Amino acid sequence: MTLATLRAILGGLLVLLGGLLPVAAGRLDRAGIETYFPAPLVVGERDPALPVWPILKQEAGSYAVFAYAFESVDLAPLPGFGGTPPDLLVALAPDGTFRDVKVIAHHEPVFLEGLGSEPLFAFVEQYVGLSARNPIRVGRPNARGSGAAPQGTVDGIAMATASTRVINESILSASLAVARAKLGFGATNLGLKVSARADADEPLTVDALAARGWLRRLTVTNGQADAAFRDAGVEGSDGGPAAAPLADLTFAYLNVPAIGRNLLGSERFAALMRELGPGDHAILVVSHGPENPLGEDFVLGSIPDRLTVSQGGLAVTARDMAIERRSGAPGLPDGPWTLLRVADATGFDPSAAWTLTAKLVRQRGQIFPETITRTFSADYALPAGLFLREAPEAGPSWTDPWRARAPEVCVIALALVGLVPVLARQRGLVADRGRFPRFRLAYLAFTLGFIGWYAQAQLSIITLVGLVRAATVTHDLTFLLYDPPSLLLWAFVLATLLVWGRGTFCGWLCPFGALQELVAWLARPLRIRQVAVPPQLDRTLRQAKYVLLGAILATAAMGSPLADSLSEAEPFKTAITLYFARTLPFVLYAVGLIGLNLFVYKGFCRYLCPLGAGLAVVGRLRFLDWIPRRAECGSPCQFCRVRCRYGAIRVDGRIDYPECFQCMDCITIIHDPGQCVPEVVARRRGRRIAAQPVAAE
């Protein structure tokens, strides 16, 4: 069977499985949801059009929506690095803030038998109290403690940057889908920053502010209150004249200097702006009617339960600022007043219309009185010219890691650009047996230290598992974009596979491979004798990695979790991603493979590595047989074959490219007149011979 036929069969199987296997779906039924929201909360009926459960809370004799609960996998099944989407239970409050976020299930390799799931659980807890109205970015570990905006940033997890960004996108995408359907703000320009213009200032009296509509009034008369409560069988007022005001509120948005400075005075306005800080808003409410909506038992600094600020049909959290209350500008009515603070995280847009609502409360009955409420509202709007609007940064969330990791990507890109001419110019540095070994050791140290341990860009069979699962289940490859250094390396490796084959990655860019070579170099003074593996056994052992590769990809295509277990044959997660900080069995396995390397050079890479097997298969499509050979290679000369530590040169002198790790030793030898035996002999006889590439079998 030819390779092309095999690839066609595998492609057809992936398409077939993609049509047969179900897409990811949530796993919680009503009983499951109730375990996360126990009494006194009540789980309502699941929405027939959207997989969302309303969570209800009793308030004033009736049930109000406390949150909307949903599973992210139902609304935003973004595949993680295990190839399957994480499943997160999200509870979104009616104002767009996160009540709770819990991990239901995940297959992120770095957390499975690695860091453990506890850091992931702690990561999602950071969303509680944040708002889905604003963009939320994943920062570096302890980003918020280092000064990042607490309302727009969550602390990342070391060694799991890409996974946490996928999870962040899953949470936000699912939440916005619910927000569009249930809360009404999902279609707005999220992250828009609106601030009052500092030059929007002019001296205005209270009457002038009222004439412009910048100072508004909400008045509820006795007659209006009586009419509103009549159907409930209770009195709405104390029986005064019908036209007399019962609740009378004067209110205004204060951040605009022409309003705030004229109502409070320059000194108090400046103090208020310092108290607010950037992004927050202040609203003045003065009560000068017989009934004060704040209530007699109102606690300073709390959220008034009888005054509500809303925008776009959604309540906006407005908290009393608990600062000194003194009389305002001449002409401002006397009476108790409050300054309500609206935080930046609420997504409040002062340049758009908003509403102030006052709640009047009455009770019916004496032994077990029933609370009856009625609401009265007044709208408020200011000219757009009083504000500056700063649009959020454009682009999907996967652009964030590209900006954040741009320095790492640039360093790796420069290293790759520098590697190509070294490998391509065989009579350059490669032919210098003095300088080339030092260059190779330095590059391997860079691969291990920077690419592996620092940039966390160790390529792995896990990515191939993710690709298979994406092809058969999610049909989404976006997860690759969240790890820029690895994606850059994958692109380079795939390109060089078509030129040089597997060896460019396995011999130069694999951090674990570099670790093995560097350990072997450091152990040279020990003079450890290499074990000579019998040829027949060697050929049999080399097939093991292909069997392992087939088992991993087949179980991944069938959706079996066994693929994750089989992928642990790679020690990359232990030795590179987690710096050996794992449970003892995994550490012993990785250390054992490094120890094996001292006796059977890169034994893991030659016999067990499933990623190397996959690259070897694709590498058979290379365009060139690029390693030069002489007619004497293999017969009679066996010098290169004996010196090849990978066993990639056959007895007849031909190169076994799928097993070649591109160490370039044989090229150094063949271009060195002092080492190449046929050339040494030819020089003694006074003639020259040329080296030419020889086609592999």
Side-chain angles (χ1 to χ4, degrees):
M1 180 182 295
T2 65
L3 180 61
T5 303
L6 179 60
R7 293 174 67 243
I9 293 174
L10 289 176
L13 287 174
L14 290 180
V15 172
L16 177 61
L17 288 170
L20 295 178
L21 295 179
V23 296
R27 62 191 68 200
L28 296 179
D29 56 10
R30 186 190 190 92
I33 293 289
E34 287 175 341
T35 62
Y36 290 93
F37 302 98
L41 297 176
V42 176
V43 178
E45 294 298 324
R46 188 174 188 261
D47 191 296
L50 198 68
V52 176
W53 300 84
I55 309 301
L56 309 176
K57 182 179 181 181
Q58 191 169 17
E59 181 178 309
S62 61
Y63 284 97
V65 175
F66 172 77
Y68 292 101
F70 50 92
E71 293 180 70
S72 64
V73 74
D74 285 327
L75 301 164
L78 303 178
F81 279 80
T84 57
D87 189 10
L88 305 140
L89 178 63
V90 182
L92 196 64
D95 65 355
T97 58
F98 291 100
R99 297 281 194 192
D100 202 359
V101 180
K102 297 291 186 185
V103 178
I104 303 300
H106 73 92
H107 290 86
E108 292 305 290
V110 72
F111 296 113
L112 293 173
E113 295 293 342
L115 295 174
S117 294
E118 287 74 16
L120 179 57
F121 298 158
F123 171 78
V124 300
E125 287 176 0
Q126 297 179 88
Y127 289 83
V128 177
L130 301 184
S131 175
R133 291 174 176 268
N134 294 327
I136 299 175
R137 313 290 186 191
V138 178
R140 293 188 176 274
N142 198 34
R144 296 201 288 185
S146 302
Q151 292 296 336
T153 306
V154 291
D155 293 342
I157 302 175
M159 300 174 285
T161 303
S163 291
T164 52
R165 286 192 166 113
V166 171
I167 289 169
N168 179 66
E169 177 68 4
S170 299
I171 293 172
L172 296 183
S173 297
S175 299
L176 291 182
V178 174
R180 292 186 183 98
K182 296 294 184 182
L183 309 184
F185 71 79
T188 62
N189 199 0
L190 297 178
L192 177 69
K193 300 294 183 183
V194 182
S195 58
R197 297 177 62 96
D199 59 353
D201 193 9
E202 58 180 309
L204 295 170
T205 65
V206 169
D207 289 340
L209 289 170
R212 294 189 181 190
W214 298 1
L215 184 68
R216 294 277 290 146
R217 195 164 181 174
L218 169 58
T219 302
V220 181
T221 66
N222 287 320
Q224 290 172 325
D226 288 338
F229 283 100
R230 187 172 296 121
D231 63 336
V234 294
E235 294 294 330
S237 66
D238 293 331
L246 174 64
D248 204 357
L249 305 176
T250 297
F251 63 101
Y253 176 78
L254 295 181
N255 291 51
V256 176
I259 303 174
R261 186 172 283 116
N262 286 313
L263 291 178
L264 302 179
S266 296
E267 184 177 343
R268 293 174 66 197
F269 175 71
L272 173 64
M273 292 298 103
R274 289 194 298 270
E275 174 75 14
L276 280 178
D280 289 0
H281 313 273
I283 296 172
L284 169 70
V285 181
V286 181
S287 175
H288 41 93
E291 182 162 329
N292 178 12
L294 288 176
E296 299 299 330
D297 56 350
F298 174 68
V299 178
L300 298 181
S302 65
I303 299 175
D305 61 353
R306 297 190 185 184
L307 281 180
T308 304
V309 176
S310 60
Q311 190 170 56
L314 298 173
V316 176
T317 301
R319 183 181 297 275
D320 176 75
M321 292 191 65
I323 62 176
E324 181 184 6
R325 290 157 165 76
R326 291 185 292 179
S327 59
L332 190 67
D334 293 329
W337 56 284
T338 181
L339 289 181
L340 298 177
R341 181 179 199 153
V342 179
D344 178 46
T346 62
F348 180 69
D349 180 1
S351 67
W354 53 273
T355 301
L356 181 72
T357 300
K359 181 190 297 183
L360 298 184
V361 179
R362 297 291 181 267
Q363 289 188 335
R364 179 173 58 192
Q366 296 184 3
I367 299 178
F368 298 103
E370 179 184 359
T371 299
I372 309 297
T373 64
R374 295 292 183 268
T375 58
F376 302 87
S377 303
D379 295 330
Y380 188 92
L382 293 174
L386 298 177
F387 299 93
L388 295 173
R389 299 169 66 86
E390 180 183 348
E393 295 182 3
S397 67
W398 58 260
T399 60
D400 292 343
W402 284 89
R403 286 190 291 267
R405 306 192 69 181
E408 300 164 31
V409 171
C410 289
V411 170
I412 294 175
L414 289 174
L416 298 179
V417 170
L419 180 62
V420 170
V422 171
L423 300 182
R425 295 183 67 248
Q426 296 186 2
R427 292 187 178 274
L429 180 62
V430 174
D432 190 328
R433 65 173 173 175
R435 291 188 301 149
F436 181 68
R438 293 195 294 272
F439 170 81
R440 178 166 171 77
L441 283 175
Y443 204 96
L444 292 176
F446 167 80
T447 295
L448 174 62
F450 189 87
I451 295 179
W453 283 334
Y454 181 78
Q456 293 284 287
Q458 168 76 66
L459 302 190
S460 168
I461 191 65
I462 292 297
T463 305
L464 300 186
V465 170
L467 290 173
V468 171
R469 285 174 171 162
T472 57
V473 180
T474 64
H475 314 296
D476 187 351
L477 300 179
T478 309
F479 70 96
L480 295 173
L481 299 174
Y482 287 88
D483 190 0
S486 295
L487 187 59
L488 173 63
L489 281 172
W490 273 115
F492 183 82
V493 168
L494 291 176
T496 55
L497 274 175
L498 301 178
V499 181
W500 291 308
R502 155 195 191 181
T504 308
F505 171 74
C506 296
W508 292 89
L509 299 173
C510 176
F512 186 74
L515 175 60
Q516 293 178 89
E517 291 203 38
L518 291 171
V519 168
W521 180 77
L522 292 172
R524 288 173 64 183
L526 300 178
R527 298 184 180 277
I528 298 174
R529 290 178 60 88
Q530 293 282 298
V531 174
V533 181
Q536 183 61 41
L537 178 59
D538 179 73
R539 286 192 294 271
T540 302
L541 291 176
R542 288 178 189 269
Q543 302 308 308
K545 59 181 177 286
Y546 297 101
V547 175
L548 181 58
L549 171 68
I552 291 173
L553 297 184
T555 52
M558 292 185 292
S560 171
L562 182 60
D564 300 312
S565 300
L566 292 174
S567 297
E568 290 292 350
E570 283 185 342
F572 304 163
K573 186 194 303 183
T574 301
I576 306 300
T577 306
L578 300 177
Y579 313 112
F580 292 97
R582 276 189 100 179
T583 55
L584 186 59
F586 291 102
V587 174
L588 291 177
Y589 175 66
V591 172
L593 291 176
I594 295 172
L596 172 67
N597 165 67
L598 300 178
F599 298 92
V600 180
Y601 194 67
K602 298 188 80 167
F604 167 77
C605 305
R606 292 158 62 184
Y607 302 137
L608 284 176
C609 182
L611 177 61
L615 297 179
V617 171
V618 181
R620 293 180 182 275
L621 302 176
R622 72 188 183 284
F623 302 140
L624 304 174
D625 292 324
W626 54 276
I627 298 178
R629 300 276 81 197
R630 301 186 188 278
E632 295 83 357
C633 292
S635 179
C637 183
Q638 297 287 323
F639 185 62
C640 288
R641 186 181 72 84
V642 172
R643 291 287 298 272
C644 181
R645 293 171 293 178
Y646 305 95
I649 301 179
R650 300 173 183 174
V651 176
D652 63 1
R654 294 177 181 268
I655 304 298
D656 188 357
Y657 283 96
E659 300 299 332
C660 175
F661 284 66
Q662 206 170 354
C663 68
M664 312 295 278
D665 285 350
C666 61
I667 297 178
T668 301
I669 292 172
I670 207 166
H671 290 303
D672 185 353
Q675 290 191 87
C676 181
V677 176
E679 188 163 343
V680 170
V681 173
R683 289 180 61 193
R684 289 176 179 174
R685 295 176 179 176
R687 59 187 179 89
R688 296 175 58 87
I689 57 175
Q692 299 291 337
V694 176
E697 291 181 354

